[in-house]
Amino acid sequence: MRQRFTARAVVVGDRAGTVVPDAAVDVEDGTLTWVGPAADAPDAGDAEVVAVPGVLLPGLVNAHSHAPMVLFRGQAEGLPLARWLREVIWPREARLTPEDVEVAMTAASVEMLRGGVTTSVEMYFSPERIAAAVGRTGARAVVATPLLPLPGMPPLAQQLAEAVTLATSVPGDGAVEYGIGPHAAYTLPLPVLRDAAAAAREHGLLLHLHVAETAGEGADLLATHGLSVPALLAAHDVLGGRVLAAHSVHVDDGDLELWREYDVAVAHCPASNAKLASGIAPVRALLDRGVRVGLGTDGPASNDGLDLLADVRLAAGLARLREGSATALTAAEAFWLATGGAADAIGRPDLGQVAVGRRADLVHVDTRDLAFEPVLDPVDLLTHLVWSGTSQLVRDTWIGGRQVVRDGVCTTVDAEALRADVAERAARLAGRAG
């Protein structure tokens, strides 16, 4: 199938913040084959022409999420992370069924697609049901099968063996990729982390874990082992290969050098870190050392949303506040963290930019809104997108050239039915059913 998209402009999603005005984008069999000014475009031939009045963006990439936690959105308001997990989240998760996970992930996927997020990195239970959910909605996911010592779950060695079997037995098609998700150094024995890392390196899998999210986490491990969390992971051969560390808030210069040395990528989650008062990650210092950084929402129970575009704005604002500089993170860099930067962070060079050879995951944002005026230069469209745009202005979303959101409505599943289903299941998990 051949398609020709035309738009007021294309925001490429690179670090430089390239904006192509009066643009055309050609797609063949789900892949981008030409991007540039419409006046210079090759003959469209028999391609289907899709003309949009606003801007085209690359599909946003959510680098860290527990999306099925829409079932717990807004619960335990005001609790710090440790109490939030132990007193509210983990007891409810103990009642989860695989069907709960699939329904919740389907609803969350719809929410992300309507906000322009086409790919998410998920760490949650029942990974195959997560894959089934995004299969229904048409989204993409990298699913890091969690390893966590909770009541009712198999022994950790069995969890790891099953995670490796799943990841190595399912052929990658670009839609769903499996990895390994050991929760954190404060919840798992270090030998388990080492074994998980070795398995990930052996099979080229993404290893995704939480690192240095709170001050208390690091202080406890430092008191026990005499090392910071990154240093502890390095000492136990956890680093190396495709490692994606979520948060990395409480890290010092030595830790940042370890991330650089081992090419560890970071999933930065500003909204979750702010809501739980965990801190502000040193994004500028990470980027200055060449560390790959992608933006994540975290779970919708700690954010409480899946609106990655809102987190772009927050990331830019918090970085500037932390550094005391209005240039600490530019609008272009902030948007890149949710697009090309995030794709790099998760090791997916086929995603994240409107560029030839990448997958045709495209998002149309309607710029016929006061939030996008004035536009005196094409780059103003990117600036407005970051500082005054909202995900509610996302009108259409395509994945691999297939339209999954049309005029703000998901085309693949019934969102209203999902909403009612999620509400009923959430009540049951909270012990309020019936």
Side-chain angles (χ1 to χ4, degrees), residues 188-378:
L188 290 168
L190 289 166
V192 172
L193 287 169
R194 183 189 62 236
D195 291 347
R201 288 194 296 269
E202 179 183 353
H203 299 287
L205 306 175
L206 184 72
L207 184 82
H208 188 32
L209 71 167
H210 300 82
V211 178
E213 182 176 359
T214 67
E217 166 195 342
D220 291 345
L221 290 170
L222 180 65
T224 302
H225 301 280
L227 295 169
S228 68
V229 183
L232 188 64
L233 296 175
H236 286 79
D237 200 25
V238 178
L239 306 182
R242 291 176 63 193
V243 178
L244 178 64
H247 302 295
S248 293
V249 174
H250 296 277
V251 288
D252 60 21
D253 287 345
D255 298 328
L256 297 180
E257 282 302 306
L258 284 173
W259 276 182
R260 183 195 61 77
E261 177 185 349
Y262 286 96
D263 193 25
V264 173
V266 170
H268 173 41
C269 304
S272 173
N273 294 157
K275 183 173 184 288
L276 297 176
S278 298
I280 305 173
V283 175
R284 184 72 264 159
L286 288 162
L287 294 176
D288 286 348
R289 283 173 170 79
V291 175
R292 292 172 292 127
V293 180
L295 197 62
T297 60
D298 207 348
S302 63
N303 183 312
D304 279 0
L306 292 164
D307 187 343
L308 195 62
L309 192 56
D311 291 355
V312 167
R313 183 183 309 169
L314 185 61
L318 290 179
R320 296 178 183 198
L321 188 62
R322 177 187 168 101
E323 306 300 331
S325 168
T327 61
L329 194 67
T330 67
E333 285 182 310
F335 185 70
W336 167 69
L337 292 182
T339 51
D344 290 344
I346 69 173
R348 289 294 298 269
D350 57 326
L351 306 174
Q353 289 190 37
V354 185
V356 171
R358 302 213 181 200
R359 298 182 188 272
D361 297 355
L362 301 170
V363 175
H364 168 221
V365 173
D366 191 348
T367 57
R368 297 170 299 181
D369 190 275
L370 285 174
F372 280 88
E373 297 297 344
V375 176
L376 306 179
D377 187 273

Side-chain angles (χ1 to χ4, degrees), residues 101-102 105-106 122 125-143 166 170 175-178:
V101 173
E102 183 171 342
M105 183 66 214
T106 305
E122 299 295 340
F125 310 107
S126 302
E128 291 170 291
R129 302 301 283 267
I130 292 175
V134 297
R136 288 180 61 195
T137 65
R140 302 188 196 277
V142 179
V143 187
L166 177 61
V170 177
V176 174
E177 174 190 355
Y178 290 103

Side-chain angles (χ1 to χ4, degrees), residues 384-427:
H384 296 334
L385 181 69
V386 171
W387 291 111
S388 57
T390 72
S391 61
Q392 282 70 36
L393 294 175
V394 171
R395 305 314 307 156
D396 307 283
T397 303
W398 294 264
I399 297 183
R402 176 196 180 197
Q403 190 161 20
V404 293
V405 173
R406 179 181 292 111
D407 198 24
V409 177
C410 183
T411 65
T412 53
V413 296
D414 184 342
E416 182 58 26
L418 281 168
R419 185 194 63 78
D421 201 353
V422 166
E424 183 178 337
R425 291 172 188 274

